[in-house]
Amino acid sequence: METLPIVKKGSPQERNVALTFDDGPNPYATPQILDILKQEGCTATFFLIGRRADQYPEIVRRIQAEGHTIGGHSHKHGGTSQKEPFHEFLLGNESIERITGLPVRYVRVPQLRYGAIDNGVLRTKEFFEPPLREQILKKEVVVMDCSIVTHDWFTPMPVPLMLAKVNVQLHNGAIINMHDGSEKDPDLQTRAARTVRMLSTLISNIRSRGYEIADLSKLDLVFEHKRIRK
């Protein structure tokens, strides 16, 4: 067993909440989500797929210009091959860094599956090898999980049920997982449509409960150690 320091939430002493979005950038949903966030006056964290950042660099630049935090979500959303480098996260981060000019500080594992095996290769293999291992131990790179999953990727889940789910689970330091994209290109036009419909109401509900929506970089993060069988 190996241990990996990860973050699922912020401090329970602070009444704030972070919004996060995975699998973008998405030319259909991400601009709409950015419009809503601007209208509501709040920021979020976008965990981007590297190859998709390469496809839509103008959206990445807009995310950055509007004050949001950008994290890495691997280069291809998993699917490592024994015939290819294992550096899914480094490759993805490099794509983002070429566009933003800034180092990627946060990474999130696709599907939050730390022990998943892709073609015989541990999905998080490079987390235990240089240079990511050293960066993670020094907290230069933070492996992010979440404490509330909206299940917005699950298309049969109706918007009212997603909102109710968040409302029941809401807590100090919550990190909420949503999606502005899809791991599959054919689903980009439809997959995050319900997330777009939900977002304004979600933000309103959170604020009505007395929580502040804070950027992930502003949270006092709580680290825990996850054991992973390599």
Side-chain angles (χ1 to χ4, degrees):
M1 285 281 191
E2 293 273 3
T3 61
L4 181 69
I6 67 168
V7 172
K8 289 189 174 183
K9 58 188 176 182
S11 169
Q13 308 305 318
E14 299 179 4
R15 199 165 179 79
N16 51 28
V17 171
L19 306 179
T20 69
F21 298 89
D22 293 357
D23 296 349
N26 176 354
Y28 304 101
T30 307
Q32 295 181 71
I33 287 171
L34 290 170
D35 288 344
I36 294 169
L37 293 172
K38 181 184 286 188
Q39 179 181 331
E40 297 292 343
C42 57
T43 56
T45 299
F46 291 80
F47 289 93
L48 306 183
I49 297 174
R51 68 172 181 83
R52 200 161 282 149
D54 288 333
Q55 288 177 283
Y56 308 109
E58 70 286 352
I59 302 179
V60 179
R61 294 188 188 100
R62 180 182 170 188
I63 294 170
Q64 180 183 29
E66 295 183 4
H68 304 286
T69 296
I70 295 176
H73 197 45
S74 82
H75 192 65
K76 304 190 303 290
H77 201 279
T80 52
S81 166
Q82 290 175 313
K83 297 180 181 179
E84 298 175 353
F86 303 133
H87 302 140
E88 274 289 300
F89 294 92
L90 285 175
L91 289 172
N93 290 355
E94 287 170 4
S95 292
I96 294 166
E97 290 166 357
R98 278 196 300 271
I99 299 166
T100 65
L102 296 174
V104 171
R105 184 167 181 229
Y106 305 100
V107 296
R108 177 175 275 166
V109 177
Q111 300 172 343
L112 304 176
R113 294 176 62 200
Y114 299 90
I117 302 295
D118 293 329
N119 297 313
V121 180
L122 180 71
R123 184 170 291 181
T124 55
K125 176 180 173 61
E126 66 179 300
F127 287 175
F128 301 99
E129 300 176 343
L132 266 186
R133 181 64 169 175
E134 286 78 6
Q135 292 175 318
I136 290 169
L137 291 176
K138 292 177 182 176
K139 298 182 180 177
E140 295 171 352
V141 171
V142 179
V143 182
M144 297 299 309
D145 201 310
C146 62
S147 57
I148 299 178
V149 178
T150 61
H151 286 96
D152 57 345
W153 50 266
F154 183 56
T155 51
M157 177 82 78
V159 168
L161 187 55
M162 288 192 287
L163 291 167
K165 186 176 187 296
V166 174
N167 193 52
V168 168
Q169 297 183 12
L170 204 58
H171 60 271
N172 288 1
I175 297 175
I176 301 176
N177 172 261
M178 291 176 281
H179 293 77
D180 65 325
S182 169
E183 61 189 273
K184 299 176 181 178
D185 289 342
D187 293 334
L188 281 178
Q189 192 160 0
T190 58
R191 192 67 176 268
R194 292 170 315 120
T195 311
V196 173
R197 294 203 307 271
M198 170 181 69
L199 186 56
S200 291
T201 303
L202 177 71
I203 291 170
S204 177
N205 289 352
I206 291 170
R207 286 173 167 165
S208 71
R209 295 275 303 276
Y211 292 93
E212 177 184 351
I213 295 174
D215 190 90
L216 189 63
S217 63
K218 307 298 183 186
L219 262 63
D220 182 10
L221 301 178
V222 177
F223 284 82
E224 58 184 76
H225 289 270
K226 186 175 185 66
R227 299 186 73 190
I228 299 170
R229 186 181 300 278
K230 291 183 63 179

